[in-house]
């Protein structure tokens, strides 16, 4: 699954920081009897095991219900008089157990809504052996992406309705009564009855289509390989499909009718990615076809899902509408496909035993998406993105409510909360660090061994470490365990650097980087640390153990630690060394180390561990860079500082003045119009600069955006396609009532679901509080469409968290249907998490106590930790920034 929050909201792309949120925690693993994985957590008795499902489903999309029949081939492992499996929101008509011509009907069927199980009781005990359990049942088609769900969308030919499934982590049980846990792998035959004029799609190709003559057809799909329930997929609607051949696999994209041309780029790229992966994994993609199905709409928590052979992606993350697509959209389309395709191996072919090891799916797919991007699109210069990945993980990992990468999961809700920054971002960072430690080739050999040994089965993290150690002969388990079994971020403190007899020795002490006032003793890690003599090729690596270490380099000179930025830790230098060695030699650092130093410093500055004036001196130095990725980081720091002054218009106006002075020359340099052959990083920087200058109230940028916007009303071509999104964004965030109404009318009339969704999101982006309130009111109606409302409230929350939270709590009942059922314990805390008002802490605590089960409170705890941190930054760091502004502004007056 790929998370939505980083890439897709308009605000996060152009100027605002993303939301922060997280997972839950639990007690000790429960020892359960019998096979196949005796010690794996389960909600089900281990007495019966499925091997095959033959499913027949008749959806009634109009009525939003379906009827189903399933025949499950099961092995009874111990005599029993009842069979328990997972089921949610299903009603049962009949169940029989069949063996060798004998059929016994279940005497009683018990449904447990709390546990999401159904138990079939039989009059006589069932002996060990093979049986077929046949069940007739009915279920519902929802409006959020859990189980079988429908999406209504506008087209030039009127409203359409398509249906799709989304099962990860535990919603297959809404579609089939099943052993809905990842280690119960089985094969699947699916048969569906759908309107004859619609296209039906599943994991495997269609083997038979029978026209019933009544407008309906029965469609049969080929038998799937052995796989986990959460990977099954079914979709049907008025679709179009385009295909290419890749190494003998039919690669396809499926879109709503009329949009298949917008998928030309991801289709061509998927072909390249598949070839790359066939080679890298050493095991060919095992299914006959691989589709990527694009759906209108969105979800609060995911953009795409790796169903085996039938990837599902929301249109916003795959299609490129030539009218509005940006360079960022193009890269997202590639990266999301690369992520989901990596899962076809990491997750689908080899699956974690239980959700404890979810990172074996998500950390690895995240790492692989970046590897594929670097290899297939070197022109995007994405190798620096590793720094951003560290930041995103370390932010989450530096408060007390964090958790280890491998964590014990007990409940469905906890599994859903595990899709977080730690599982994805820290997982990816740790993989990158260990790959760097053992070498790329050895790592690849280990991955190949792991795939070969564990294909079609389930694993834990230790199976992976074993394969890497076997392939490379390098012991990595101690480091791997330190970084995956204990939480937190190591901090490498440079104590001193001295030169003797032509060698530089750097003394290091390891502590822990924390953003909250946790008094817990610092943990220790085995940390691989790399250092470089600045401006030379002299590099050395050491393993810091037991809390300290040192590195010796040939030659004398200033040193940068974490050179290459492969290490998952923060580095802090003594103040004199920071100024004399790092700040003074900033331009001699490799761009990736410039970015690493800036990112570490900004974060250490906010948490009070480096002087804010030093950090801002570094930022000022970095602002002189001509590297678009460094300029982008400087831009985001100014955007962050602007937000620190929210609610203080006078302070904010002073900050804005300095921000505009720093950023507008960058925009002048880069221009509003793309230059032929410019770097793609420059293209993306243009969007970010325009967005941020619009955010910090630069009159020139806002005027220019308004001119483009006004001209586009008469003729859409008046604004270059690449600028349309950011121009609308700048206009929308600075909207007055009349402009808001104008965007609202456009949203109502828009026929492209993708653009329509964007327009509703823009309505929720206004700085003006009255307009933000109107957006909230609109979001609580059916007008924006079922999957847009939660996103709109999220957008309001990124700017007006207190307003959005109070509104959501006051209208909880009304908003319930717009929020993914399994995600509620994450969604509400996330709305509050951007607040810097101490009063929010009590409000969120009260909500949590009343509404969130004690086992699912980690997102709340994290949001509260973030709010406390925001309050502390306001109180302590903002005055330091204000003092720096005084100097900067005095400099401006002196220059005049
Ligand atoms: Zn994923």
């Amino acid at each position: 699954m790929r998370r939505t929050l980083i890439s897709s909201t308009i605000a996060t792309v152009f100027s605002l920081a993303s939301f922060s949120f997280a997972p839950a925690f639990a007690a000790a693993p429960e020892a359960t009897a019998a096979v196949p994985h005796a010690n794996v957590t389960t909600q089900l008795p281990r007495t019966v095991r499925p091997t095959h499902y033959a499913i027949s489903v008749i959806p009634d999309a109009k009525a939003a219900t379906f009827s189903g029949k399933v025949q499950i081939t099961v092995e009874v492992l111990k005599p029993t008089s009842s069979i328990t499996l997972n089921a949610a929101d299903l009603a049962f008509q009949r169940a029989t157990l069949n063996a060798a011509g004998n059929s016994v009907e279940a005497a009683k069927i018990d449904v447990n809504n709390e546990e999401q199980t159904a138990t079939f009781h039989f009059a006589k005990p069932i002996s060990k052996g093979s049986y077929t359990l046949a069940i007739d049942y009915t279920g519902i088609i929802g409006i959020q992406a859990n189980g079988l769900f429908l999406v209504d969308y506008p087209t030039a030919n009127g409203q359409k309705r398509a249906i799709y499934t989304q099962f990860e982590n535990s919603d297959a049980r809404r579609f089939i009564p099943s052993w809905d846990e990842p280690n119960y792998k089985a094969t699947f035959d699916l048969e569906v009855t759908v309107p004859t004029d619609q296209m039906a799609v599943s994991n495997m190709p269609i083997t038979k289509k029978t026209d019933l003559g009544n407008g309906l057809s029965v469609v049969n799909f080929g038998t799937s390989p052995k796989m986990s329930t959460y990977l099954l997929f079914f979709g049907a609607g008025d679709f179009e499909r385009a295909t290419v051949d890749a190494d003998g696999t039919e690669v396809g994209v499926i879109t709503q009718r009329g949009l298949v041309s917008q998928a030309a780029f991801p289709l061509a790229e998927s072909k390249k990615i598949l070839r790359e992966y066939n080679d890298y994994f050493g095991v060919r993609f095992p299914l006959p076809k691989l589709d990527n199905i694009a759906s209108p709409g969105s979800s609060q928590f995911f953009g795409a899902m790796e169903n085996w052979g039938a990837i599902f992606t929301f249109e916003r993350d795959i299609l490129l509408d030539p009218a509005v697509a940006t360079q960022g959209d193009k890269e997202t389309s590639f990266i999301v496909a690369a992520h989901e395709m990596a899962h076809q191996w990491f997750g689908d072919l080899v699956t974690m035993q239980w959700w404890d090891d979810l990172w074996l799916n998500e950390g690895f797919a995240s790492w692989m998406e970046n590897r594929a991007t670097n290899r297939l699109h070197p022109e995007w210069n994405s190798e620096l993105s590793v720094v951003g990945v560290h930041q995103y993980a370390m932010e989450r990992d530096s408060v007390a409510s964090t958790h280890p990468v491998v964590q014990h999961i007990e409940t469905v809700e906890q599994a859903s909360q595990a899709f977080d920054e730690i599982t994805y971002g820290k997982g990816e960072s740790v993989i990158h660090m260990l790959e760097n430690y053992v070498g790329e080739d050895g790592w690849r050999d280990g991955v190949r061994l792991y795939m070969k040994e564990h294909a079609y089965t389930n694993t834990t993290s230790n199976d992976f470490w074993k394969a890497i150690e076997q392939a490379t002969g390098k012991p990595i388990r101690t480091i791997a365990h330190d970084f995956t079994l204990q939480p937190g971020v190591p901090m490498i403190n440079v104590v001193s650097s001295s030169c003797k007899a032509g060698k530089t020795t750097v003394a290091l002490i390891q502590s822990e980087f924390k953003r909250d006032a946790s008094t817990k003793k610092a943990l220790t890690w085995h940390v691989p640390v790399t250092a470089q003599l600045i401006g030379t090729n002299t590099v050395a690596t050491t393993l810091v153990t037991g809390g300290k270490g040192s590195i010796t380099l040939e030659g004398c000179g200033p040193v940068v630690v974490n050179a290459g930025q492969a290490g998952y830790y923060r580095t802090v230098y003594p103040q004199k060394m920071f100024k004399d060695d790092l700040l003074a030699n900033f331009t001699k650092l490799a761009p990736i180390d410039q970015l690493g130093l800036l990112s570490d410093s900004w974060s250490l500055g906010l948490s009070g561990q480096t002087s804010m004036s030093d950090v801002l001196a570094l930022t000022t130095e970095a602002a002189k860079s001509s590297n678009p990725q460094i300029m982008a980081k400087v831009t985001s720091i100014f955007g962050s500082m602007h937000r620190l002054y929210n609610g203080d218009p006078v302070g904010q106006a002073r900050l804005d003045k300095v921000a505009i002075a720093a950023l507008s020359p960058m925009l002048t340099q880069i221009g509003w119009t793309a230059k032929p052959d410019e770097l793609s990083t420059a293209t993306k920087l243009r969007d970010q600069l325009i967005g941020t200058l619009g955010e910090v109230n630069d009159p020139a940028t806002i005027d220019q955006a308004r001119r483009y916007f006004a001209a586009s009303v008469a003729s859409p071509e008046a604004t270059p396609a690449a600028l349309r999104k950011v121009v609308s964004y700048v206009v929308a965030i600075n909207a007055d009532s009349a402009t808001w109404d104008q965007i609202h009318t456009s949203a109502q009339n828009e026929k492209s679901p993708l653009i329509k969704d964007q327009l509703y999101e823009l309505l929720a982006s206004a700085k003006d509080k009255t307009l933000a309130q109107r957006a909230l009111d609109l979001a609580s109606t059916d007008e924006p469409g079922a999957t847009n409302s939660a996103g709109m409230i999220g957008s309001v929350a990124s700017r007006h968290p207190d307003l959005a939270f109070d509104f959501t709590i006051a209208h909880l009942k009304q908003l319930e249907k717009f929020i993914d059922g399994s995600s509620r314990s994450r969604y509400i805390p996330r709305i509050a998490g951007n607040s810097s008002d101490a009063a929010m802490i009590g409000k969120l605590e009260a909500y949590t106590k009343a509404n969130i089960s004690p086992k699912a409170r980690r997102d709340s705890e994290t949001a509260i930790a973030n709010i406390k941190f925001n309050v502390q930054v306001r109180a302590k760091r903002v005055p330091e920034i204000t003092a720096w502004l005084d100097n900067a502004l005095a400099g401006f007056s002196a220059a005049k």
Side-chain angles (χ1 to χ4, degrees):
M1 190 139 58
R2 197 165 191 283
R3 309 172 71 216
T4 36
L5 75 168
I6 289 299
S7 61
S8 35
T9 74
I10 293 179
T12 61
V13 175
F14 296 131
S15 75
L16 290 178
S18 61
F19 286 114
S20 269
F21 71 102
F25 206 61
E30 153 196 0
T32 332
V35 281
H37 295 293
N39 55 355
V40 178
T41 313
T42 182
Q43 270 90 36
L44 299 170
R46 294 288 187 191
T47 45
V48 180
R49 173 175 69 190
T51 57
H52 179 72
Y53 295 84
I55 309 151
S56 178
V57 164
I58 307 175
D60 182 344
K62 266 201 198 100
T65 59
F66 67 93
S67 63
K69 288 178 190 294
V70 63
Q71 299 201 3
I72 314 172
T73 311
V74 297
E75 299 287 323
V76 174
L77 304 165
K78 276 206 289 195
T80 177
S81 58
S82 67
I83 296 178
T84 299
L85 43 62
N86 292 115
D89 288 333
L90 299 180
F92 297 97
Q93 283 80 54
R94 189 161 183 258
T96 56
L97 192 67
N98 312 289
N102 292 326
S103 176
V104 194
E105 184 155 354
K108 191 160 82 104
I109 304 173
D110 281 335
V111 171
N112 185 332
N113 291 326
E114 183 79 0
E115 298 284 320
Q116 302 189 335
T117 58
T119 300
F120 303 92
H121 298 276
F122 297 92
K124 283 188 196 157
I126 310 153
S127 51
K128 273 171 71 169
S130 295
Y131 298 83
T132 304
L133 176 64
I135 307 168
D136 293 357
Y137 63 101
T138 49
I140 51 177
I141 306 179
I143 57 168
Q144 302 296 334
N146 311 110
L148 183 60
F149 68 101
L150 60 86
V151 175
D152 288 330
Y153 57 95
T155 72
N157 303 315
Q159 282 287 114
K160 292 274 166 92
R161 173 169 289 185
I163 55 174
Y164 309 91
T165 59
Q166 167 58 33
F167 293 161
E168 193 178 22
N169 41 305
S170 305
D171 288 320
R173 62 190 64 175
R174 297 177 186 280
F175 186 65
I176 344 155
S178 54
W179 280 259
D180 188 20
E181 295 182 350
N183 65 322
Y184 282 114
K185 288 196 172 183
T187 50
F188 295 82
D189 278 330
L190 180 65
E191 175 186 279
V192 292
T193 303
V194 294
T196 302
D197 58 0
Q198 290 196 353
M199 185 188 292
V201 55
S202 181
N203 308 75
M204 296 294 287
I206 293 174
T207 52
K208 200 166 74 173
K209 184 168 179 178
T210 315
D211 192 339
L212 299 177
N214 58 355
L216 296 174
S217 288
V218 178
V219 178
N220 291 87
F221 298 95
T223 306
S224 80
K226 205 174 155 195
M227 64 183 197
S228 304
T229 42
Y230 78 88
L231 294 170
L232 187 70
F233 177 79
F234 160 57
D238 186 17
F239 298 156
E240 265 188 286
R241 180 170 186 246
T243 62
V244 288
D245 174 83
D247 280 354
T249 301
E250 186 178 85
V251 171
V253 288
I254 293 174
T255 67
Q256 55 160 298
R257 180 171 301 284
L259 294 194
V260 81
S261 64
Q262 295 185 11
F265 174 77
L267 182 61
E269 296 297 317
S270 296
K271 175 179 171 149
K272 291 185 211 160
I273 298 167
L274 195 75
R275 283 186 173 161
E276 171 74 17
Y277 287 178
N278 277 338
D279 173 55
Y280 187 85
F281 288 113
V283 177
R284 278 180 51 86
F285 177 72
L287 279 69
K289 64 97 181 170
L290 173 56
D291 279 315
N292 198 331
I293 297 104
S295 162
S298 61
S299 146
Q300 290 114 65
F301 289 101
F302 78 103
M305 172 64 206
E306 67 267 21
N307 315 295
W308 214 359
I311 295 166
F312 171 90
T313 310
F314 285 111
E315 286 179 350
R316 60 197 298 163
D317 282 341
I318 176 170
L319 298 187
L320 298 178
D321 181 339
V324 289
T326 62
Q327 177 64 27
D329 294 333
K330 193 172 173 182
E331 293 181 20
T332 297
S333 175
F334 175 89
I335 288 169
V336 172
H339 179 102
E340 301 309 331
M341 288 173 73
H343 275 311
Q344 305 298 305
W345 285 263
F346 278 122
D348 298 2
L349 181 64
V350 181
T351 314
M352 74 267 145
Q353 261 186 17
W354 181 244
W355 304 106
D356 297 21
D357 285 298
L358 177 62
W359 85 292
L360 287 176
N361 283 8
E362 298 305 348
F364 282 79
S366 302
W367 160 74
M368 201 67 186
E369 83 190 30
N370 282 328
R371 187 185 177 281
T373 310
N374 293 339
R375 287 183 63 90
L376 299 176
H377 287 285
E379 77 281 11
W380 292 348
N381 292 298
S382 58
E383 65 281 1
L384 268 59
S385 66
V386 65
V387 178
V389 173
H390 287 205
Q391 296 310 314
Y392 137 90
M394 287 180 185
E395 174 105 350
R396 172 68 189 86
D397 204 13
S398 53
V399 291
S401 65
T402 187
H403 63 86
V405 168
V406 178
Q407 57 175 334
H408 182 62
I409 300 288
E410 263 192 0
T411 65
V412 165
E413 205 168 26
Q414 287 172 354
S416 137
Q417 293 186 332
F419 291 82
D420 73 347
E421 293 88 343
I422 300 299
T423 301
Y424 285 72
K426 184 173 182 181
E428 176 183 350
S429 301
V430 170
I431 293 162
H432 183 75
M433 179 169 72
L434 292 171
E435 181 197 24
N436 190 65
Y437 187 69
V438 302
E440 277 185 34
D441 290 350
W443 187 263
R444 181 204 55 215
D445 293 346
V447 169
R448 286 181 177 172
L449 186 64
Y450 172 79
M451 287 297 159
K452 207 171 132 204
E453 282 193 350
H454 301 286
Y456 303 103
T457 67
N458 298 81
T459 55
T460 64
S461 300
N462 278 338
D463 294 317
F464 186 80
W465 306 136
K466 198 175 147 200
I468 295 292
E469 290 187 334
Q470 212 174 314
T472 62
K474 291 186 184 168
I476 57 156
R477 214 173 291 215
T478 316
I479 309 171
H481 282 177
D482 281 359
F483 280 89
T484 56
L485 300 181
Q486 58 184 12
V489 183
M491 181 135 87
I492 296 296
N493 304 266
V494 179
V495 182
S496 63
S497 172
S498 58
C499 180
K500 228 186 241 170
K503 289 182 181 180
T504 303
T505 301
V506 184
L508 307 169
I509 286 181
Q510 179 246 298
S511 60
E512 188 173 346
F513 172 69
K514 294 175 191 164
R515 285 194 299 126
D516 54 11
S518 156
T519 51
K520 160 178 90 72
K521 192 170 160 273
L523 296 167
T524 56
W525 290 259
H526 290 73
V527 192
V529 175
T530 300
Q532 184 174 18
L533 281 186
I534 296 174
T536 76
N537 292 325
T538 307
V539 177
T541 295
T542 190
L543 195 62
V544 171
T545 57
K548 55 184 176 189
S550 70
I551 301 188
T552 302
L553 296 119
E554 291 294 331
C556 289
V559 170
V560 60
V561 173
N562 203 6
Q565 305 299 313
Y568 183 77
Y569 55 84
R570 288 211 188 280
T571 309
V572 63
Y573 299 90
Q575 189 175 30
K576 188 172 178 339
M577 200 170 157
F578 180 86
K579 281 185 170 166
D580 297 351
D581 293 358
L582 280 310
L583 179 56
N585 293 295
F586 184 76
T587 52
K588 292 185 192 152
L589 293 172
I592 196 164
D593 293 327
Q594 292 184 349
L595 196 59
L597 181 66
L598 263 177
S599 302
D600 267 354
S601 302
W602 174 242
S603 179
L604 291 163
L606 284 181
S607 60
Q609 293 166 89
T610 292
S611 123
M612 198 44 106
S613 67
D614 288 354
V615 176
L616 293 167
L618 186 75
T619 308
T620 309
E621 181 65 21
K624 298 175 195 157
S625 171
S626 57
N627 179 321
Q629 286 168 290
I630 306 302
M631 293 154 87
K633 181 68 194 176
V634 171
T635 307
S636 92
I637 289 176
F638 277 108
S640 302
M641 285 197 279
H642 169 86
R643 283 191 301 285
L644 294 178
Y645 286 93
N646 277 350
D648 168 10
V650 176
Q652 196 162 52
R654 289 163 59 82
L655 183 276
D656 288 351
K657 204 169 168 189
V658 175
I660 293 164
L663 303 181
S664 72
M666 292 186 190
L667 182 56
T668 306
Q669 187 191 328
I670 201 165
W672 279 71
T673 318
K675 298 177 185 68
D677 303 323
E678 73 180 3
L679 291 170
S680 60
T681 47
T683 312
K684 289 199 295 183
L685 174 64
R686 173 179 301 112
D687 271 0
Q688 194 190 348
L689 279 170
I690 295 171
T692 305
L693 281 162
E695 184 72 40
V696 301
N697 302 306
D698 176 35
T701 302
I702 297 170
D703 284 351
Q704 178 64 40
R706 284 181 176 149
R707 274 196 296 276
Y708 269 130
F709 190 78
S712 300
V713 174
S715 135
E717 294 73 37
T719 310
L723 285 181
R724 279 178 213 165
K725 236 191 226 177
V726 72
V727 158
S728 316
Y729 173 73
V730 170
V731 170
I733 63 176
N734 294 295
D736 57 15
S737 179
T739 310
W740 196 91
D741 288 338
Q742 193 188 350
I743 299 171
H744 188 195
T745 308
S746 306
Q748 288 170 319
N749 296 334
E750 179 57 50
K751 294 289 178 256
S752 152
L754 186 70
I755 297 176
K756 194 181 182 84
D757 289 356
Q758 285 170 0
L759 289 167
Y760 279 106
E761 196 176 325
L762 285 176
L763 287 172
S765 308
K767 291 174 185 171
D768 184 282
K769 223 172 169 175
T770 316
L771 297 177
Q773 182 61 53
R774 284 174 71 186
L776 291 172
D777 293 335
L778 182 60
S780 60
T781 70
D782 288 325
E783 186 195 310
T787 62
N788 273 334
S789 291
M792 287 178 70
I793 297 170
S795 285
V796 174
S798 63
R799 202 180 286 283
H800 308 282
D802 306 273
L803 181 72
F805 180 85
D806 293 346
F807 180 86
T808 306
I809 298 305
H811 298 81
L812 216 44
K813 196 91 209 115
Q814 200 178 342
L815 295 171
E816 214 159 48
K817 63 175 176 178
F818 299 128
I819 304 172
D820 279 354
S822 57
S823 306
R824 216 155 290 159
S825 62
R826 289 188 280 171
Y827 182 76
I828 309 275
R830 208 178 96 172
I831 294 292
N834 267 1
S835 174
S836 46
D837 179 357
M840 179 58 83
I841 298 167
K843 288 196 268 185
L844 182 54
E845 278 169 349
Y847 171 81
T848 304
K849 216 172 154 203
N851 297 283
I852 302 180
S853 104
K855 283 188 173 183
R857 289 184 181 168
R858 201 190 274 159
D859 278 67
S860 266
E861 289 162 10
T862 304
I864 289 166
N866 282 333
I867 299 164
K868 285 182 179 163
F869 182 70
N870 294 343
V871 171
Q872 178 196 318
V873 167
R874 286 275 178 120
K876 296 186 176 156
R877 302 288 95 77
V878 168
E880 292 176 35
I881 297 173
T882 302
W884 174 79
L885 286 176
D886 291 343
N887 278 331
L889 290 165
F892 287 161
S893 340
K896 267 181 200 162

